[in-house]
Structure formats: C-alpha cells, structure tokens
Amino acid sequence: MPLLEKLDVAGNPLGRLYRTHVLATFKDRSLEVTLDGAVASQRETKEILDLQRTWKGQTAVQTAGDREGDIDADNDLSISDNDAVQGEDDENGSQVSNVTPMVPTSGPQDAKRVSQVSLAASANAKRSSQASLISSSTKRVSTASLEGRPRQRRSSTTKSLKQKKRKAVQLTRVVRFDSVVFHRKFRVPFQPGPPVFLPHDPTSHSIADTGVQIPIIDIFGIRDAYSADSTGTARVNNKNKF
Amino acid sequence: MFNNFKVLTSLTKLDLSHNKLSKLDDVNKVIAQIKSLNLKGNAIESVKGLEKLVSLEVLDLSDNQIAEVNELNRLGTGQA
C-alpha cells in the first residue's frame, strides 16, 4: 500500500507492542503513516529504525546463507564456527592470526599474501565483526580468525566462552562481490595494535592472487568503512559501520 | 459480496463498518481503485487481499479480531 496515510487497528487483540512493528513494515514511509490517529513518537521512531535494521540484517544473512548452501553443495567447503574459535589460539598471540590464502598457493610469498587492516583505537574492545565471504569463481574458501584480546585472557578460554563466541559468529557480516561471494568468518577487534590481515583488497576491487577485477556490492554498507593505500593495504575507517 | 461493487468504477470511499465481515478475499478485484475503506467493527481475522489495494490512503480496521501482528505486515510490505 504505497499510498496509505492513515491506518486504524485499535480494538484488535494485538497486544501492546504492535505499533512499532506495524509502522516498521512501511519502510521509508514509517514515519509518515498515521497509526491509530498518531504518527510515530520519538521513542517509537528509534525502535522502528532498530527493528528495520534487524530485519535488514536477517534478510541479508538469510540471503547469504542460501548462497552458501548452494556453493557448499557444489564444493563441500563449508566452514564451521570452530574454525574461527580455533584460529584465536594461534601462537603469536597478537591481533594477527593465520590466514589461509583464498586461492591455491604457489610459494611462500603467496602464503603470506594478505592485506592489512589498521584499526583505530576504540573504547569498546569487545565489539567485533565477522565477514562472511564466499568465493564461487575460484572454488576456494578460506578462513581467518582475528582476535585482539591479550593472550592471557584467551588462555582461560572455557567451554562457555566458546559458546559465547559461537553466538558472536552468528552476527556474521557479509561482503558480497558481484557474481563472486567470499565466505569468510573472521573478527576485527576494535583496539589499537598491529595490522590485521584481510584476504582481499576491497578498494582495488580485485581478488587477491587472481587479479580479477570486480565491483563490490556490500549489503551492510561495510564498503564505505574500508579504504586502501597504493600498496593494497586495507584500513578500517569507521568502526561504527561494523 | 464484493462482486456487487463491480459496477461502481468511480467508487473511492466505502464504509462497511459493523457488518460482521470475516473475509476480504478478492476484495482487490472489484474495488481496486478505492481510496478510503472503513471496516471497523467487523470480525476480520486476516487482512489477506487488502494489500493489493494499492490506491488505498485511509484504512480503518479497528475493533476487529486481528490477533497476529504479522498479519498487518501485508499492509506495509505486501507479505505476511
């Protein structure tokens, strides 16, 4: 109903919290529609926007999941959450963890080929994000897990902590490329430290090791959060976009 | 019931309040051009069909039997 301006649903057994839900379904017109004689209040507006963001995220993850299922059926290269957790226990204990190249390696140089992400200081060190990247053209999937917390804290990892991390992995960020989707689960800690390596250079629009030029379609708006210098070093510009 | 409105091609405002209506199936096929629809005080549980009234500007569904908030998703997104 693209023209609907006034809607009355009072007197239905809908419960108390129907207003934000109903208004949120009108997407960009949510704040224009009059529901039961009143437009959205300031508090409702905030809730509506949060709800719409949640829906958008769910839709995106679901879409990515569908693609992942298709590709996994072809390649049987799915990645479990345990991969990401195990990657945090690497020996160096720094913010840089092992990164498996996205394409077959031909030498030591390829094995180390990663692009860097420099993270700005953040008060919220617990926040992290994961990118889910699937490569359908190269038929290769790799895993990187990036953890910024000190080694001492990781040494006390328990089963419950791993469960929490698994939940965090569910908050998967997805960076999609046109016709090529990289499925990766890795974390980007928001605290200062050594650069964190990414398997690709988002700004150059090229796939590492392949040189394939493709435009980025970022359904979460993460693209704007990246930049890269002439060496292909990717940097996180805006942590709030994660 | 809505077949009776087929001939009213210029109808833009319709008040069907307090008529014990429970279903709105195929409502869009006969009054697609409607701009204001009052369905207050009926026994409507599902708004299926209403989402296709793309010209609708004012809709009154108060005092019905709509229990599922997802049912109202149809009005905004066209999907339940």
Side-chain angles (χ1 to χ4, degrees), chain B residues 33-75:
Chain B
Q33 77 286 357
I34 202 81
K35 289 186 177 179
S36 177
L37 181 59
N38 187 349
L39 294 168
K40 181 176 182 178
N42 285 285
I44 297 168
E45 296 180 0
S46 171
V47 296
K48 185 179 180 182
L50 280 181
E51 73 274 12
K52 295 176 181 175
L53 299 177
V54 294
S55 299
L56 205 58
E57 296 176 2
V58 180
L59 175 61
D60 192 341
L61 286 168
S62 55
D63 300 327
N64 278 282
Q65 298 301 318
I66 302 170
E68 291 291 331
V69 69
N70 288 335
E71 193 64 35
L72 297 174
N73 286 1
R74 299 177 189 275
L75 306 181

Side-chain angles (χ1 to χ4, degrees), chain A residues 141-232:
Chain A
V141 180
S142 58
T143 302
S145 176
L146 309 176
E147 176 61 49
R149 281 180 285 187
R151 178 68 175 174
Q152 291 81 359
R153 295 181 63 181
R154 280 202 304 269
S155 64
S156 63
T157 300
T158 62
K159 186 177 181 180
S160 62
L161 183 57
K162 287 187 176 182
Q163 288 175 345
K164 288 180 181 179
K165 288 176 179 176
R166 284 192 181 186
K167 288 181 181 178
V169 171
Q170 292 174 4
L171 302 172
T172 301
R173 297 292 189 185
V174 181
V175 181
R176 290 199 307 183
F177 297 81
D178 187 20
S179 76
V180 180
V181 179
F182 296 92
H183 177 86
R184 297 295 300 274
K185 294 180 179 178
F186 64 88
R187 298 181 175 201
V188 182
F190 294 111
Q191 56 183 242
V196 178
F197 293 106
L198 289 179
H200 67 282
D201 174 9
T203 305
S204 70
H205 298 189
S206 64
I207 306 172
D209 299 322
T210 67
V212 177
Q213 300 292 319
I214 51 173
I216 294 178
I217 299 174
D218 185 358
I219 55 180
F220 276 94
I222 298 176
R223 177 185 177 182
D224 293 337
Y226 286 109
S227 69
D229 56 24
S230 58
T231 64

